[in-house]
Amino acid sequence: MAGIELKIDDEYINGMASLLETRSQDLQEGVDSYLTILAGIREEAIQEGDTADALDAFIEYASSLKGIISELGKTAKDTCNNFLAEIDEKDQYLF
């Protein structure tokens, strides 16, 4: 492969790793806040009937997102870091 050069921008990948983790934490906080608001609505405003039952079902479903989003952000960050580590390891043998 004469004449082909691959450049990995470590700074960009590290920046994206941090950004993905931060954004996922922010999104998780938003989802958690949303669930708290929904629970408050269920407790204070919609106490019985079909709408209350539907809201209970939705809250239960949405609660399954609790913790998943921030975990995905951590996984994305770890993947970026592992990618850089693997590139560095392979780079030792090439140059």
Side-chain angles (χ1 to χ4, degrees), residues 16-49:
M16 287 305 296
S18 295
L19 177 70
L20 290 169
E21 183 179 43
T22 301
R23 292 274 171 94
S24 68
Q25 288 172 349
D26 292 344
L27 184 57
Q28 185 66 61
E29 288 173 11
V31 168
D32 293 345
S33 177
Y34 179 64
L35 289 170
T36 301
I37 291 167
L38 286 177
I41 290 170
R42 175 63 180 92
E43 297 270 328
E44 302 295 325
I46 304 173
Q47 297 180 349
E48 58 186 55

Side-chain angles (χ1 to χ4, degrees), residues 7 45 54 59 66-67 76 79 92:
K7 293 184 181 181
I59 290 171
K66 212 169 186 71
T79 301
Q92 289 177 7

Side-chain angles (χ1 to χ4, degrees), residues 24-88:
S24 68
Q25 288 172 349
D26 292 344
L27 184 57
Q28 185 66 61
E29 288 173 11
V31 168
D32 293 345
S33 177
Y34 179 64
L35 289 170
T36 301
I37 291 167
L38 286 177
I41 290 170
R42 175 63 180 92
E43 297 270 328
E44 302 295 325
I46 304 173
Q47 297 180 349
E48 58 186 55
D50 290 343
T51 304
D53 294 341
L55 187 54
D56 284 339
F58 182 75
I59 290 171
E60 184 178 336
Y61 176 75
S63 293
S64 67
L65 296 175
K66 212 169 186 71
I68 290 176
I69 298 168
S70 59
E71 186 62 33
L72 287 174
K74 184 183 178 323
T75 300
K77 180 180 180 182
D78 291 345
T79 301
C80 289
N81 292 335
N82 290 340
F83 172 74
L84 288 177
E86 194 169 325
I87 292 294
D88 287 343

